[in-house]
Amino acid sequence: MSDVVERFMRYCAIPSQSDPFNAQEVPSTRSQFDVSRVIAAELKELGAENVELDEHAYVTAFWPASKGCEDLPTLGFCTHVDTAWQSYGSPVHPQIKHYEGGKLTIGYDRHGREVYVSPETNPQLEHMVGWDLVTADGTSLLGGDDKAADAMIVSLLARLKEHPEIPHPRLALSFVPDEEIGHGAALLDLKKFGATFGYTIDGGPLGEFCYETFNASEVIVKAKGLSVHTGTAKGTLINASEALMKFHQLIPAQERPEYTEGYDGFYYLSYIKSSCEEGEAGYILRDHSKEIMDKRKQTCLDAAQFVNRQYGSSVLSVEIKDQYFNLADVVTKPENKHLIENARKAYEKVGVPMKFVPMRGGTDGAQLSFRGFAAPNLSACYYNAHGVREFVPVPELEKMVDMLEALIGLYAQPCA
């Protein structure tokens, strides 16, 4: 078992889901510290400089430049330690499954149903015959998002320690919590981090490269009802649950995630909790276009106003919070285009064509880029993220460490 595979499986076995309902605390779950402590300890053992684990489960460290590259700009990398909250995430039992074609049974879920992948669920498997895949056992997600990236970075440093002749600039490294609930690197001290450009590693199949993300907003709709005995309720009762349902019916049904792809934006009802007297519904809005995103926000405001007019009172209120913006607005600036070109060259050096993907989501780079750290997104090589069918192909995981070595080599010279 290679260094990166062994490390990856160890990280995955440590549960670390984030919790959107405890987002006021950072990290939102104490379990994220368990992964951060392991990573920090390994960084210190390898000889990384200024390794810090702070009170919010952020791990930061630096790796000194190779001889002759000391005066070059620092190159930054950012990954995250939490895993998705939408599926089972504890306990996690990583395993290696050899794929010989057709259907591959991963295991059985907590209801006894078979969990499998096949060319029907993942056409990419057609070129993976004979490969080893890392999966969970069917009872939980794996956590390749984003522990594959965590393992890649630490394994890259292990390689640099073993081969100090590999050219590279000073590297700034961050492993952050709560990316899956929209917090991510919000508390990363960029002045202390010391890099004005670099990469997040939080993408899908090997070769994918993303410098376009959604613009993202969260919408909280709150309902205030009036409970009256149902026998005498006529003309008086106001049901908060009914008001939320009326609101939802006004949101375009054809613009939900299950009906969209590519550059299509969407409205997504992420949760609803309600009784007669009070209720709350949470939505996320996504669109690559800022102008269309503004229209989506207005749709929500108009829907609430329409429902309130029906009731003749302010039953519904709407709170809108911007979460992140399309990082293309930063990465495509002339001074940052080397990030795109060098990623393409590094993929080519390891025999992988780079594929541009408009990301239907966001990464830490989406917020970091607007704070002064331009950061497009590289492959983390996971498939079927956020669910029990998640897997990471071993050859892609290993190849990505080679790609990162090639990438840092390209920055062992001044940016064009």
Side-chain angles (χ1 to χ4, degrees), residues 17-170:
Q17 288 178 289
S18 46
D19 181 2
F21 300 107
N22 193 41
Q24 72 279 4
E25 294 186 19
V26 181
S28 61
T29 56
R30 304 303 295 177
S31 63
Q32 293 179 67
F33 273 109
D34 297 336
V35 180
S36 293
R37 288 189 190 97
V38 169
I39 291 173
E42 293 186 9
L43 292 174
K44 289 179 181 178
E45 184 178 351
L46 288 170
E49 298 178 342
N50 303 111
V51 179
E52 292 187 9
L53 168 59
D54 71 10
E55 69 274 21
H56 299 295
Y58 282 67
V59 178
T60 53
F62 301 92
W63 193 265
S66 59
K67 187 176 180 179
C69 296
E70 295 88 351
D71 295 331
L72 293 172
T74 297
L75 178 65
F77 290 99
C78 181
T79 64
H80 65 87
V81 299
D82 64 316
T83 59
W85 58 275
Q86 292 93 340
S87 183
Y88 294 109
S90 176
V92 182
H93 302 289
Q95 60 183 346
I96 293 179
K97 304 286 284 187
H98 189 69
Y99 183 61
E100 298 180 347
K103 184 173 79 170
L104 175 67
T105 299
I106 291 173
Y108 294 85
D109 68 16
R110 300 183 186 206
H111 303 286
R113 297 173 297 192
E114 183 183 23
V115 176
Y116 66 89
V117 293
S118 72
E120 286 70 39
T121 62
N122 293 92
Q124 309 96 326
L125 286 169
E126 295 283 8
H127 76 266
M128 297 182 187
V129 177
W131 288 14
D132 285 338
L133 311 179
V134 182
T135 75
D137 66 352
T139 62
S140 74
L141 51 74
L142 175 64
D145 178 8
D146 194 33
K147 290 175 181 174
D150 299 334
M152 291 169 189
I153 288 294
V154 182
S155 295
L156 174 68
L157 300 188
R159 183 177 296 185
L160 295 180
K161 180 180 180 178
E162 186 176 351
H163 298 282
E165 73 278 5
I166 295 174
H168 60 85
R170 180 174 184 258

Side-chain angles (χ1 to χ4, degrees), residues 57-367:
Y58 282 67
V59 178
T60 53
F62 301 92
W63 193 265
S66 59
K67 187 176 180 179
C69 296
E70 295 88 351
D71 295 331
L72 293 172
T74 297
L75 178 65
F77 290 99
C78 181
T79 64
H80 65 87
V81 299
D82 64 316
T83 59
W85 58 275
Q86 292 93 340
S87 183
Y88 294 109
S90 176
V92 182
H93 302 289
Q95 60 183 346
I96 293 179
K97 304 286 284 187
H98 189 69
Y99 183 61
E100 298 180 347
K103 184 173 79 170
L104 175 67
T105 299
I106 291 173
Y108 294 85
D109 68 16
R110 300 183 186 206
H111 303 286
R113 297 173 297 192
E114 183 183 23
V115 176
Y116 66 89
V117 293
S118 72
E120 286 70 39
T121 62
N122 293 92
Q124 309 96 326
L125 286 169
E126 295 283 8
H127 76 266
M128 297 182 187
V129 177
W131 288 14
D132 285 338
L133 311 179
V134 182
T135 75
D137 66 352
T139 62
S140 74
L141 51 74
L142 175 64
D145 178 8
D146 194 33
K147 290 175 181 174
D150 299 334
M152 291 169 189
I153 288 294
V154 182
S155 295
L156 174 68
L157 300 188
R159 183 177 296 185
L160 295 180
K161 180 180 180 178
E162 186 176 351
H163 298 282
E165 73 278 5
I166 295 174
H168 60 85
R170 180 174 184 258
L171 304 179
L173 313 164
S174 62
F175 305 80
V176 305
D178 288 337
E179 189 274 345
E180 297 292 358
I181 61 173
H183 170 84
L187 298 180
L188 183 64
D189 185 336
L190 290 180
K191 184 176 180 181
K192 188 176 180 181
F193 192 55
T196 58
F197 59 79
Y199 299 87
T200 56
I201 309 175
D202 192 13
L206 180 66
E208 285 192 358
F209 180 77
C210 171
Y211 65 88
E212 295 179 278
T213 61
F214 277 142
N215 296 286
S217 295
E218 177 185 47
V219 177
I220 305 297
V221 184
K222 294 183 178 181
K224 295 180 180 179
L226 178 62
S227 179
V228 179
H229 190 287
T230 52
T232 58
K234 185 175 181 179
T236 305
L237 184 145
I238 298 176
N239 191 326
S241 299
E242 292 276 2
L244 291 175
M245 291 168 63
K246 291 177 184 291
F247 176 89
H248 187 67
Q249 290 170 349
L250 295 171
I251 303 301
Q254 71 276 15
E255 296 181 37
R256 295 173 185 165
E258 58 266 40
Y259 305 123
T260 62
E261 62 183 350
Y263 283 98
D264 299 332
F266 59 75
Y267 304 83
Y268 174 62
L269 175 62
S270 57
Y271 70 87
I272 185 167
K273 50 185 180 181
S274 188
S275 63
C276 180
E277 287 219 324
E278 61 182 357
E280 180 178 305
Y283 290 80
I284 60 172
L285 312 187
R286 299 290 187 263
D287 211 287
H288 289 91
S289 164
K290 185 180 183 301
E291 291 73 21
I292 298 177
M293 174 61 85
D294 289 341
K295 293 179 180 179
R296 294 186 185 282
K297 295 176 186 177
Q298 191 60 51
T299 294
C300 293
L301 294 172
D302 292 344
Q305 187 178 45
F306 182 83
V307 173
N308 285 338
R309 284 199 300 266
Q310 287 185 319
Y311 284 102
S313 63
S314 298
V315 175
L316 298 182
S317 62
V318 177
E319 301 172 10
I320 300 177
K321 177 184 177 182
D322 290 329
Q323 295 172 304
Y324 57 83
F325 302 99
N326 190 343
L327 65 83
D329 295 341
V330 174
V331 173
T332 56
K333 290 181 178 180
E335 64 269 26
N336 292 326
K337 286 190 175 180
H338 62 88
L339 292 164
I340 302 173
E341 184 60 20
N342 281 346
R344 183 187 62 77
K345 290 178 180 177
Y347 277 123
E348 287 181 352
K349 281 179 177 288
V350 297
V352 177
M354 188 167 81
K355 179 182 179 181
F356 291 99
V357 177
M359 193 170 188
R360 291 182 57 76
T363 70
D364 288 311
Q367 54 158 292

